[in-house]
Amino acid sequence: MNQLFPIIACTVFFSSPLLAEPRSSIDGFTEPTFSYTQIGFKTGRVDPKDDFSDFDVRDDTLGAIELSGSYQINQNLFIGGEFNQIHKSERRYEGTFSSGSVFLGLPLDASENVDLIPTLGLGRFEAEACVDRQCLSEDDTAAVFGANLRIFAIPDILELSLGVRDNTLEDSEPYFLVGIAGWLVNHHRVSFDYVDAEGVRAFGLGYMYHW
């Protein structure tokens, strides 16, 4: 059943406003380009790289949703949380995969208009799959960690992002994220993300509001 967990982990995630020029702080760090007080949602699809033909499933695509938010405690520290769920129901097969996590992030100003954000937290993973009404389920808790790179390619308008994430579940492998986002009237961010993980790939369209 552990092969189900990469699907959970791949539910698309992640983001953040535009502040003035970076400035030195008392603790020696510089102020990041983006703000990390935010709330938003994402919807998308997850495509398994292996098919479900043995289960008489016409379409392997799974629907995905994500809710996320974070609060910036100070300029170089924020606390965040997210909940992800994907679901598939067709003919003989039904599956629900979900995960939730809380984490700390350390946003650092890597250079002008570029933020580097290491994250570390705790995640809960749950999976249930049924074939012909015979069900298997599994749940586990693990540390989650990763890093994102956010770039204002066109300041106040266009953002590019790259990321890598992993967890301490047995047999877990890192997965990678690539994203593009447009900023509207400073506080509004619309994004498109692609995630590539072991066994699955995912696409997501999201909206975030930033303070």
Side-chain angles (χ1 to χ4, degrees), residues 15-139:
S15 8
S16 310
L18 339 190
L19 300 175
E21 291 294 317
R23 57 182 181 273
S24 296
S25 65
I26 296 175
D27 59 12
F29 289 107
T30 55
E31 185 173 337
T33 301
F34 301 91
S35 166
Y36 294 86
T37 297
Q38 58 199 17
I39 188 169
F41 68 91
K42 194 168 294 187
T43 183
R45 54 180 280 178
V46 177
D47 295 330
K49 295 177 182 177
D50 298 321
D51 63 49
F52 288 81
S53 57
D54 292 343
F55 304 140
D56 195 22
V57 173
R58 294 179 184 174
D59 182 2
D60 292 351
T61 301
L62 298 91
I65 60 168
E66 174 184 282
L67 303 175
S68 62
S70 61
Y71 176 74
Q72 192 162 357
I73 300 169
N74 62 44
Q75 71 175 32
N76 296 113
L77 181 67
F78 68 86
I79 184 170
E82 63 185 29
F83 171 78
N84 306 284
Q85 186 176 83
I86 63 177
H87 181 77
K88 179 70 176 180
S89 180
E90 184 177 340
R91 295 189 176 186
R92 299 168 52 203
Y93 175 82
E94 182 173 2
T96 300
F97 316 95
S98 61
S99 66
S101 64
V102 292
F103 51 87
L104 293 174
L106 186 69
L108 304 173
D109 176 52
S111 66
E112 185 177 3
N113 297 323
V114 179
D115 284 0
L116 175 64
I117 313 104
T119 58
L120 177 64
L122 185 66
R124 179 70 175 175
F125 302 86
E126 298 180 356
E128 182 178 62
C130 302
V131 179
D132 295 332
R133 298 184 180 180
Q134 300 296 312
C135 299
L136 293 173
S137 62
E138 188 170 356
D139 58 80

Side-chain angles (χ1 to χ4, degrees), residues 137-159:
S137 62
E138 188 170 356
D139 58 80
D140 208 344
T141 301
V144 294
F145 52 92
N148 278 10
L149 188 69
R150 303 182 62 190
I151 305 164
F152 244 151
I154 303 176
D156 298 358
I157 297 176
L158 181 67
E159 175 191 345

Side-chain angles (χ1 to χ4, degrees), residues 178-201:
V178 179
I180 184 170
W183 285 86
L184 309 171
V185 198
N186 290 344
H187 298 286
H188 306 276
R189 179 179 182 271
V190 177
S191 64
F192 176 79
D193 300 286
Y194 170 76
V195 179
D196 191 275
E198 179 191 11
V200 288
R201 61 179 64 89

